[in-house]
Amino acid sequence: MENSSARKFSLPVIVSILLTIIPLVTTSLATAWAIGHESELRNWPLEYWVLVTLGLTVASSFALTPPTFLALVYGYFLGWAALPLLFGLNIGAIAIVFGLSGFLQPDSVRKYLVQVYPKVTSLLNRFYQNQLRLIFFTKLSPVLPFAVTNLFFAMAGARFRQVIAGGTLGMIPRTVLAVWAGKEAQDIAYLLEHPNEGLSTKIFILVLIIISTLGIGYFFREKKSLDR
């Protein structure tokens, strides 16, 4: 029984690791493809972008195409018109991960964690009381992997509405920043190889990281003070 529980627990861990590594590979491949087909992409009608977005929504849910990277590309070719497509992509990818997480048996995983680490119970209870806030600050961070955080919240038992609301609100600043950077770029090769170029972009990213860290840190600090 214990070995069975361990396997149930290890599967989400393995999936999370893969969701962190895979984007590094696919982003490199997608960058090379986008650079080589720039003229073709510039001539795409909006209908093509809509169809591609549907496919990329599924790909993003499996960490094959990071949304922030896509926002740079979309911003470069579509400008601000890319925002509705990207917001739809983010919401769709979150929904897909949330739906598929059931195959990883989240209830069994949480039960196993509670048995091994009893303090997880109080942490989960605090999470359930502050879902929207923690999801928002987590999604606000430009450095936390999109697909991994989606999987984490689904496995933690977050309510679907809270994940969608917090995830969407948290993704708005970083998506707008990436679209703006893509829109202002003069060369797609330089843009994708140096996505955080420019002092204003670096400052904005730093501000997002600080706000996100403080928000997440407050969640754990508040828990610690209550435990005392």
Side-chain angles (χ1 to χ4, degrees):
M1 179 67 68
E2 184 176 350
N3 291 335
S4 176
S5 298
R7 286 195 294 270
K8 292 178 182 177
F9 171 62
S10 62
L11 181 57
V13 173
I14 293 173
V15 172
S16 297
I17 294 174
L18 290 176
L19 293 181
T20 303
I21 296 175
I22 290 175
L24 301 177
V25 178
T26 56
T27 298
S28 299
L29 296 175
T31 296
W33 186 88
I35 293 174
H37 295 78
E38 179 178 357
S39 58
E40 179 183 342
L41 291 172
R42 284 199 175 278
N43 294 322
W44 272 13
L46 181 60
E47 292 79 6
Y48 280 24
W49 286 103
V50 173
L51 291 175
V52 168
T53 300
L54 294 176
L56 291 176
T57 299
V58 178
S60 295
S61 65
F62 289 97
L64 298 177
T65 49
T68 301
F69 166 80
L70 294 177
L72 290 170
V73 176
Y74 274 54
Y76 182 79
F77 290 107
L78 298 178
W80 296 121
L83 287 177
L85 295 175
L86 293 168
F87 291 150
L89 183 151
N90 287 322
I91 295 173
I94 291 173
I96 291 174
V97 172
F98 195 92
L100 294 178
S101 65
F103 291 101
L104 297 178
Q105 300 178 307
D107 292 337
S108 298
V109 172
R110 291 195 298 273
K111 182 178 179 181
Y112 171 78
L113 286 174
V114 169
Q115 291 175 345
V116 178
Y117 308 104
K119 290 186 177 180
V120 170
T121 301
S122 60
L123 184 61
L124 286 174
N125 289 335
R126 277 198 47 73
F127 169 64
Y128 298 145
Q129 297 171 4
N130 301 273
Q131 291 182 47
L132 184 62
R133 186 178 70 186
L134 183 59
I135 292 170
F136 168 77
F137 283 116
T138 300
K139 286 298 184 180
L140 191 65
S141 173
V143 298
L144 295 178
F146 175 80
V148 173
T149 54
N150 290 340
L151 178 63
F152 172 81
F153 290 127
M155 298 301 293
R159 293 192 297 273
F160 179 68
R161 290 184 179 180
Q162 300 289 343
V163 176
I164 290 294
T168 301
L169 292 174
M171 288 292 292
I172 287 176
R174 52 195 284 193
T175 301
V176 171
L177 173 64
V179 170
W180 174 80
K183 179 177 177 294
E184 296 298 314
Q186 301 298 319
D187 180 73
I188 188 172
Y190 190 83
L191 167 67
L192 298 181
E193 292 172 1
H194 306 84
N196 300 323
E197 187 73 10
L199 179 61
S200 58
T201 300
K202 292 178 180 177
I203 292 176
F204 193 84
I205 290 176
L206 180 60
V207 170
L208 290 181
I209 293 175
I210 292 175
I211 295 175
S212 173
T213 302
L214 290 176
I216 297 173
Y218 179 79
F219 172 84
F220 289 101
R221 187 179 72 245
E222 196 173 56
K223 173 186 177 296
K224 184 177 180 180
S225 64
L226 289 176
D227 289 343
R228 291 178 182 176

